[in-house]
Amino acid sequence: MMRRFLLALLFFVPSFIFAIDVAEHPTGFLVDWDEVEGAKWYDIYVDDGFVARLENNVFSYEIENLLSNKTYNISFAARDEGNNTLLAEFSTNTTTSWDGTYIWNNPTKKDNKGRVKKLIFNVKTVLDPIYGQHQEIYILSDDGAEHRIFPLYDFNDESAGWTDYDDDTEQAATYRLNAERFNTSSIVPSSWRVSKIFLGQDHIEVTVETKAFGISLDTMVIYDFIVDDDGCRNLIFRMDGPSLVRTFVFFNPDGTRDDGAYVLKNSKDL
């Protein structure tokens, strides 16, 4: 009942007096506004659904977990202590996407024997009938060929499982390309499998179990998508695992991050 009451108040106030600023992001919006005299709260709605009530000392809010390439109606209301609507504004905006080419250029002479001079990933937004909208990630080999690194196997692929390192499938070739690029040791795995996937809106985690010399180890591969302070879309790529795994991983040598992650920037935003 309270929610319907708030919505009713919102739509009876003219919007021409006040304006909000909406920055369109791949999976949400950053909403900014100026202080409204007498306001106790600021309320935000998306498609008439209540999102947040903010105190009067807050002048921005990030709306998250929306679909990419989708149009939404944003409503904003400044309300006094008696819940009266002082000012209201309505805006129609469309989310962007993470699609594009992401690049990291190695500024150092440390390149894992010439294998990590540059990283190039292509990202495409896709819609899965079961798992919904998500990103497919492709790595580019030195000859410019594109290889899908996520997901390595289709989510419903029954052939997914233990894969021999020297297998002649596209999945095995992609795994070798990635493993050889970041492996600092001379140890070659005998087989591997994707044992776990976490698929979030802007965050992907893949656990790969690898066997070598009778030992099985887990390596976690993590992809985070963010918009930085300059408005540039970033793909943050990192690997993690037990101490033995970390001994063999070629982390980002430029020293910009304590976790050794690579920060790739969307080429269209540079």
Side-chain angles (χ1 to χ4, degrees), residues 110-161:
K110 300 176 182 178
D111 55 17
N112 198 22
K113 299 178 181 178
R115 295 190 286 260
V116 192
K117 292 181 178 294
K118 174 185 287 191
L119 296 179
I120 303 177
F121 289 0
N122 284 338
V123 174
K124 302 174 184 179
T125 300
V126 298
L127 182 63
D128 184 273
I130 297 175
Y131 297 97
Q133 191 181 85
H134 67 89
Q135 286 72 49
E136 285 187 346
I137 303 173
Y138 296 77
I139 57 173
L140 270 65
S141 54
D142 291 340
D143 61 2
E146 193 178 67
H147 305 266
R148 193 179 76 177
I149 190 68
F150 180 82
L152 269 170
Y153 287 93
D154 292 339
F155 295 135
N156 60 349
D157 191 340
E158 296 181 358
S159 67

Side-chain angles (χ1 to χ4, degrees), residues 130-194:
I130 297 175
Y131 297 97
Q133 191 181 85
H134 67 89
Q135 286 72 49
E136 285 187 346
I137 303 173
Y138 296 77
I139 57 173
L140 270 65
S141 54
D142 291 340
D143 61 2
E146 193 178 67
H147 305 266
R148 193 179 76 177
I149 190 68
F150 180 82
L152 269 170
Y153 287 93
D154 292 339
F155 295 135
N156 60 349
D157 191 340
E158 296 181 358
S159 67
W162 284 106
T163 303
D164 289 339
Y165 185 80
D166 294 323
D167 201 279
D168 60 0
T169 63
E170 170 62 21
Q171 289 86 356
T174 301
Y175 174 84
R176 285 194 298 272
L177 171 64
N178 198 61
E180 291 168 2
R181 181 177 282 172
F182 297 104
N183 186 359
T184 62
S185 76
S186 58
I187 298 174
V188 177
S190 58
S191 60
W192 59 272
R193 69 169 180 169
V194 176

Side-chain angles (χ1 to χ4, degrees), residues 24-188:
E24 298 171 343
H25 288 177
T27 52
F29 304 104
L30 179 61
V31 185
D32 293 288
W33 59 91
D34 293 327
E35 182 178 5
V36 178
E37 185 177 353
K40 175 65 175 178
W41 298 289
Y42 300 114
D43 293 337
I44 296 175
Y45 305 80
V46 174
D47 286 347
D48 298 340
F50 178 74
V51 173
R53 164 160 282 192
L54 306 167
E55 296 290 339
N56 60 2
N57 60 344
V58 178
F59 306 111
S60 68
Y61 184 80
E62 187 166 5
I63 302 170
E64 301 176 310
N65 298 318
L66 302 181
L67 294 177
S68 298
N69 299 316
K70 182 175 172 60
T71 299
Y72 292 90
N73 295 315
I74 300 171
S75 305
F76 171 93
R79 296 197 164 97
D80 64 17
E81 195 165 2
N83 213 40
N84 300 301
T85 302
L86 303 175
L87 295 172
E89 180 70 11
F90 311 93
S91 179
T92 299
N93 297 84
T94 302
T95 52
T96 58
S97 76
W98 297 114
D99 292 3
T101 299
Y102 291 78
I103 301 173
W104 174 83
N105 289 299
N106 192 342
T108 77
K109 294 182 179 180
K110 300 176 182 178
D111 55 17
N112 198 22
K113 299 178 181 178
R115 295 190 286 260
V116 192
K117 292 181 178 294
K118 174 185 287 191
L119 296 179
I120 303 177
F121 289 0
N122 284 338
V123 174
K124 302 174 184 179
T125 300
V126 298
L127 182 63
D128 184 273
I130 297 175
Y131 297 97
Q133 191 181 85
H134 67 89
Q135 286 72 49
E136 285 187 346
I137 303 173
Y138 296 77
I139 57 173
L140 270 65
S141 54
D142 291 340
D143 61 2
E146 193 178 67
H147 305 266
R148 193 179 76 177
I149 190 68
F150 180 82
L152 269 170
Y153 287 93
D154 292 339
F155 295 135
N156 60 349
D157 191 340
E158 296 181 358
S159 67
W162 284 106
T163 303
D164 289 339
Y165 185 80
D166 294 323
D167 201 279
D168 60 0
T169 63
E170 170 62 21
Q171 289 86 356
T174 301
Y175 174 84
R176 285 194 298 272
L177 171 64
N178 198 61
E180 291 168 2
R181 181 177 282 172
F182 297 104
N183 186 359
T184 62
S185 76
S186 58
I187 298 174
V188 177

Side-chain angles (χ1 to χ4, degrees), residues 10 31 70 77 82-83 89 106 108 133 138 156 174 197 205-206 216 218-219 225 230 234 249 252 257 266:
L10 177 63
V31 185
K70 182 175 172 60
N83 213 40
E89 180 70 11
N106 192 342
T108 77
Q133 191 181 85
Y138 296 77
N156 60 349
T174 301
I197 293 175
E205 294 181 10
V206 181
S216 179
D218 286 343
T219 301
F225 293 89
D230 296 323
N234 288 192
V249 171
N252 184 346
R257 290 181 60 103
N266 192 301

